[in-house]
Amino acid sequence: MEEAMAQIRTSRRYADAFEFRFDMIRDPNITQLMAASRRPCIATCRPVWEGGMFKGSEEQRIKVLEAASLTGVHFVDIELNAAPETVAEFLRRKRDTKVIVSLHLLEATIFDPAKIYRALRATRADVIKFAYNTDDAWEIVFAAEFLACAKRDRQKAIAIAMGQAGEASRVLYRKFGGWATYAAPEDGRGSAAGQIPASLLKKLYRADSLKSSTRVYGVIGNPIRQSKGVHLHNPVFQRSGKDAVYCRFQVSSIGAFMNRMSRYLSGFSVTIPHKQEVMKYLDAIDATAKAIGAVNTVVRRNGKLTGMNMDAAGALDAIEGVRKVKGTRVLIVGAGGAARAIVFEAKRRGAEVIIANRTEAKARELAMQFGTESASMSNLSGIQFDILVNATSVGMVPDIGKSPVPTSILKNKVVFDAVYNPPMTKLLSDANAVGAKIIQGTEMYVNQAALQSGLYTGRKVDKRFLKRLVSRIQ
Ligand code: NAP
């Protein structure tokens, strides 16, 4: 009760209603909870067989809900899979307390959302709710299809894809025609995986003001939790007055996402591991992305999806903020996706490029492909260069005590680290200590986000605004 009361106090500013999970509160005092909430309330007492925590008898469970109803709770949530006579009884008495009939699919199974909709609709409940577990964001399409059926019938409905991969279904509920969604309290201790704190749903995503015409953007990758894009692109949309939202999509099967879910999106950022694979599903790829062999930005123009790469320009613009690369020798450590983009763009802008990598064969292969030199990591002190680029993940959290190169080679050079988490890496502090000019990975991050944002909003984006946002989320 103490925890519930604290959650109510901190969430009241953002919540339009409260759901009391009586299966999760010991010795609940309904009157006290309702008085504190000052909002419409939903009484739920989820049994173990539907994913909840109530272990008592069905009789005891129904008593809890009846008591809540008598106390004047606005909604009672009863499971479609409860005994038919129990559901019928609640529905008969629904004049005083409205009824939400819910179905939770906890196992990954194949289902037809229209069929599930029909079963829930047939109960004639005031509100119907369908929630299912997912570990792949393409399955959000089922929530969209369920809500499309409800919209046609003007049926109040809730549909949620549970789990991190389903997160966007909680943001896009209005876009899909849903009546409500569930958010976590401000302490983040929600009652289901993937729930977003109510303050973020309202302030960052403005989820309750999205419309069917709102444009959807996002980032696809796996894992995606660490992605900071939502904290940049949503404020930019808000500032520019664009009716758009940016969500995170944890995608395992890129093919299924592109075939089933991408039609809801007007554009998206692409991150590890899909930067190459996504290219198969696009209508067009611009010359830079084609030459690099990786796409990190996709936009829809006249219905066609075009892939681009903003990492390349983002990195080189960051470096050239300190020193022009034309005529310099740039040593790039790393031979992965970021390295490919930086090698291509550095060369295009007139630098001589040398590539070194832990797996030397990959450095040689990349050098051959782009017509540059390669070098061994064991011989970096023998290489002449002006600018050093770290395009490996060395120094990134959690291994922040590591640098990819010895400090002795950094004296008086320009040093750029693509790693942006943390912004000040071991490499950069080593370089700083020996008089090198340093450039943080956040510069590249902001540059490529600004380019993406320009495409998404159709306007030039103020980089200082993005930098302020980035510094706030570090
Ligand atoms: P990637 O394709 O997975 O490549 C990883 C690179 O790091 C490979 O060259 C790999 O060498 C090397 N590496 C990994 N662990 C290593 C270790 N312990 N010792 C030495 N080398 C190691 O990743 P990516 O997409 O290129 O990303 C690389 C870094 O750039 C990441 O930190 C990423 O966050 C950052 N990045 C930043 C931005 C930005 O906007 N600032 C944009 C994109 C990427 P092997 O070939 O030997 O495995």
Side-chain angles (χ1 to χ4, degrees), residues 124-186:
R124 308 173 76 88
D126 299 288
V127 181
I128 57 176
K129 175 189 174 193
F130 172 43
Y132 55 97
N133 267 326
T134 181
D135 55 11
D136 200 343
W138 77 267
E139 293 184 342
I140 290 171
V141 76
F142 298 134
E145 287 169 6
F146 180 90
L147 292 174
C149 297
K151 202 172 165 186
R152 251 191 331 265
D153 294 339
R154 293 168 176 261
Q155 165 72 57
K156 288 184 179 128
I158 300 168
I160 292 167
M162 294 184 291
Q164 172 70 47
E167 184 185 72
S169 70
R170 299 176 184 277
V171 176
L172 300 175
Y173 73 103
R174 277 271 162 91
K175 159 93 188 166
F176 295 149
W179 177 70
T181 196
Y182 291 75
E186 292 315 287

Side-chain angles (χ1 to χ4, degrees), residues 334-338 357-359 362 391-394 396 418-420 441 444-445:
N357 188 47
R358 175 178 65 177
T359 311
K362 275 169 70 182
T392 74
S393 44
V394 178
M396 196 166 98
V419 171
Y420 61 91
M444 171 180 174
Y445 185 70

